[in-house]
Amino acid sequence: MPIYALGDLHLSLFVDKPMDIFGQTWEHHTEQIEANWRTVVNNNDTVLLPGDLSWGMTLDEAVPDLEWMARLPGHQIMIRGNHDYWWHGITRLRQTLATNQTAIQNDAVVAEGYAICGTRGWLLPSHPQFDVNDEPIFRRELERLRLSLTAASKLDMPIIAMLHYPPCSSNNHQTEFTEILESYNVKVCIYGHLHGPTHRFAFEGEQNGVTYRLVSADFVNFSPIRLNP
C-alpha cells in the first residue's frame, strides 16, 4: 500500500489563526487539503505528517483539528513541529488520538514494510539566527533522532525518517543530522517548516544514500505526495 507525506497543515478549526495572512496561496487551504487528500489517499494507505499540525495552544484546543484529520482516509503517523504547542505528554496525546492516528516520540512504528521514525529537529548551527540558547535544544534533538532511529533499526526494515526542521539546506548539505541519518542507512527523510520564499533553501534529492523530500503543504500544492514505489 502507498505511503504518502504532507507537512505543515496549520489547522485552526478552534483558534482564530487564518493562514491567508501569509499569502493568497493559503486561501481556503483546509478545504484544499481535504479535497486533495480524499482524491489520492485510500483507507488502507499511510500518511506521514512531519509536524505543525494545529495552531491550538493546548491539547483541548487542538482536538477539533485532530478529529478533523482523523476523519480523512488512511492511517496517520505524526511528529511534533515547532508550532505544535499543544503537544505535551505523549501518554495523554496517544490516549486522545483516534485509532487511525499514531504519534512518534523517541520510538518507531511499522508501516507498509518500512520502519517510520523521527523527531522535531531544530535550527542548524549554520542558520543566521542560531545562538547559544539554541545549542542545548539542537543537541537534545540530535539525541532524540538517535533514539528514534535506534528503535527503527531494531525492526530490520528500510527506514523512513521524519523531521520537522530541515536536516540540511541548499547551501549546507552535510550536517550532524545528515550524518546520523546516513549512519542508520535511512532510505528517505522528509521534512517541512519551509514556506513561501524560504522554499529556496530546501535541499531535495539523494545524498550518500538518503533521499530528502520537502513536504510542506504549500510546497506540494496542499496534496499528499507518494514516497514508496
Side-chain angles (χ1 to χ4, degrees):
M1 294 295 176
I3 299 177
Y4 295 93
L6 182 64
D8 302 82
L9 275 60
H10 287 294
L11 301 174
S12 56
L13 299 178
F14 182 84
V15 300
D16 184 19
K17 186 73 173 182
M19 286 296 293
D20 55 13
I21 64 173
F22 297 107
Q24 187 176 9
T25 302
W26 286 91
E27 289 184 0
H28 307 294
H29 83 286
T30 304
E31 292 82 357
Q32 291 186 67
I33 289 172
E34 180 172 11
N36 293 333
W37 188 308
R38 292 188 180 279
T39 297
V40 300
V41 180
N42 295 317
N43 284 331
N44 293 327
D45 299 338
T46 298
V47 183
L48 308 185
L49 303 164
D52 276 10
L53 308 177
S54 168
W55 280 113
M57 297 297 292
T58 66
L59 183 55
D60 288 340
E61 290 182 350
V63 162
D65 297 326
L66 295 171
E67 291 179 340
W68 179 89
M69 292 163 52
R71 291 191 290 271
L72 296 173
H75 181 75
Q76 302 161 20
I77 303 175
M78 63 188 73
I79 61 169
R80 182 181 182 180
N82 64 305
H83 289 300
D84 291 321
Y85 302 112
W86 48 272
W87 188 307
H88 289 292
I90 190 63
T91 299
R92 184 182 173 212
L93 172 57
R94 287 173 173 166
Q95 291 171 345
T96 301
L97 294 177
T99 56
N100 66 329
Q101 294 174 315
T102 300
I104 288 178
Q105 186 168 301
N106 301 337
D107 53 7
V109 297
V110 173
E112 312 303 336
Y114 287 83
I116 312 298
C117 64
T119 189
R120 178 184 58 182
W122 199 245
L123 288 178
L124 299 172
S126 58
H127 194 284
Q129 295 179 353
F130 189 94
D131 61 28
V132 293
N133 296 315
D134 293 302
E135 182 69 24
I137 305 174
F138 174 76
R139 294 294 161 193
R140 183 181 66 198
E141 287 299 312
L142 289 174
E143 182 57 30
R144 285 181 171 174
L145 179 59
R146 288 191 187 94
L147 288 171
S148 193
L149 283 166
T150 298
S153 67
K154 293 176 181 178
L155 298 173
D156 195 25
M157 296 177 177
I159 299 174
I160 297 177
M162 292 190 284
L163 287 162
H164 177 68
Y165 281 88
C168 57
S169 67
S170 59
N171 56 11
N172 184 25
H173 292 181
Q174 198 69 28
T175 70
E176 289 184 73
F177 279 114
T178 64
E179 290 173 1
I180 293 173
L181 294 168
E182 292 166 15
S183 71
Y184 282 87
N185 298 314
V186 170
K187 298 302 181 186
V188 178
C189 176
I190 63 169
Y191 64 96
H193 189 67
L194 301 180
H195 301 300
T198 64
H199 289 161
R200 70 184 187 276
F201 297 119
F203 171 72
E204 284 206 302
E206 188 271 338
Q207 175 178 264
N208 296 332
V210 184
T211 298
Y212 296 89
R213 301 287 300 273
L214 173 61
V215 298
S216 299
D218 58 327
F219 185 74
V220 295
N221 297 316
F222 302 95
S223 181
I225 62 168
R226 185 164 177 167
L227 298 179
N228 60 333

